[in-house]
Amino acid sequence: MAIIGGGVAAVEAMLAFDATSYSRAEVHLFSPKSKFVLKPLAVLSGFGRGDLLNFDLPKLTATVGATFHNLSVSEVVPQRRMIRLSDDSEFSYDYLIVSPGAKPLWFVPGATPFWGPGGNQAVSEALAPLREMEKPRVVVTLPEGGTGRCRYTNSRC
Ligand SMILES: Cc1cc2nc3c(=O)[nH]c(=O)nc-3n(C[C@H](O)[C@H](O)[C@H](O)COP(=O)(O)OP(=O)(O)OC[C@H]3O[C@@H](n4cnc5c(N)ncnc54)[C@H](O)[C@@H]3O)c2cc1C
């Protein structure tokens, strides 16, 4: 079994696999990053309120007897049940889970987006001048639709 990705989808798939009767399967996880960062909590660090919560993927995979490969996948060849890796090697699988995440879109041109851990500096720089202002006005934008319902008010957030 091969799992592509090092985010929550890949990690949960790996842990779920271990918790089920498939635990005898050989599980291999492929990710170019060796840290799994909990993105929802990254918001705190973006606002200078705490460190990033991250987990070491080699250690996490080892705890469930899986193997971590610090490589990205450049191609999937389903006909041959094979993935090609960034070091140009090939890896054969019986089953494949593909969870490389999604590409964030810039939905408000000119706004400062927070796309996770990599966006900390931009948010900090955008917020810095606010500290000097007496009554700053801040606009927080959301894309139209698809943002779910507010947990407490049951209205659109
Ligand atoms: C700031 C922020 C706050 C959020 N808050 C919440 C929240 O409160 N609640 C909620 O439900 N969701 C929240 N989300 C959304 C949530 O984080 C995502 O839905 C979730 O991270 C998606 O997980 P994923 O594993 O599919 O993708 P990702 O987390 O994007 O992980 C993708 C992984 O795949 C790896 N990868 C990419 N390409 C390749 C490749 N070619 N080969 C191998 N590996 C590859 C990447 O390095 C990465 O490790 C938030 C997101 C952000 C950015």
Side-chain angles (χ1 to χ4, degrees), residues 3-12 29-44 57 69 71-75 84-86 98-104 114-117:
I3 302 175
I4 301 176
V8 68
V11 168
E12 281 202 358
L29 191 128
F30 297 84
S31 169
K33 294 177 187 160
S34 59
K35 296 280 183 198
F36 159 52
V37 178
L38 208 51
K39 287 184 188 173
L41 292 185
V43 176
L44 289 175
L57 280 172
H69 302 261
L71 294 164
S72 66
V73 175
S74 53
E75 190 181 0
R84 185 161 292 114
L85 307 170
S86 47
V98 183
S99 43
K103 191 176 174 188
F114 185 65
W115 286 329

Side-chain angles (χ1 to χ4, degrees), residues 15 18 23 35 38 41-42 50 52 59 64-65 70 89 92 102 117 140 143 149-150:
L15 298 177
D18 179 62
S23 58
K35 296 280 183 198
L38 208 51
L41 292 185
L52 287 175
K59 278 190 195 156
V64 292
N70 200 185
S89 63
S92 301
V140 179
R149 299 240 153 223
C150 283

Side-chain angles (χ1 to χ4, degrees), residues 12 18 20 24 38 40 42 47 85 91 108 118 121 130 145 149:
E12 281 202 358
D18 179 62
T20 65
R24 274 176 298 160
L38 208 51
F47 287 83
L85 307 170
F91 185 90
V108 181
Q121 197 181 339
L130 298 182
R149 299 240 153 223

Side-chain angles (χ1 to χ4, degrees), residues 52-96:
L52 287 175
L53 185 58
N54 59 50
F55 300 87
D56 193 72
L57 280 172
K59 278 190 195 156
L60 202 55
T61 47
T63 58
V64 292
T67 306
F68 177 68
H69 302 261
N70 200 185
L71 294 164
S72 66
V73 175
S74 53
E75 190 181 0
V76 177
V77 188
Q79 300 84 348
R80 292 177 50 206
R81 289 181 181 265
M82 179 275 279
I83 50 179
R84 185 161 292 114
L85 307 170
S86 47
D87 65 357
D88 248 359
S89 63
E90 296 182 353
F91 185 90
S92 301
Y93 62 83
D94 293 311
Y95 293 95
L96 177 69

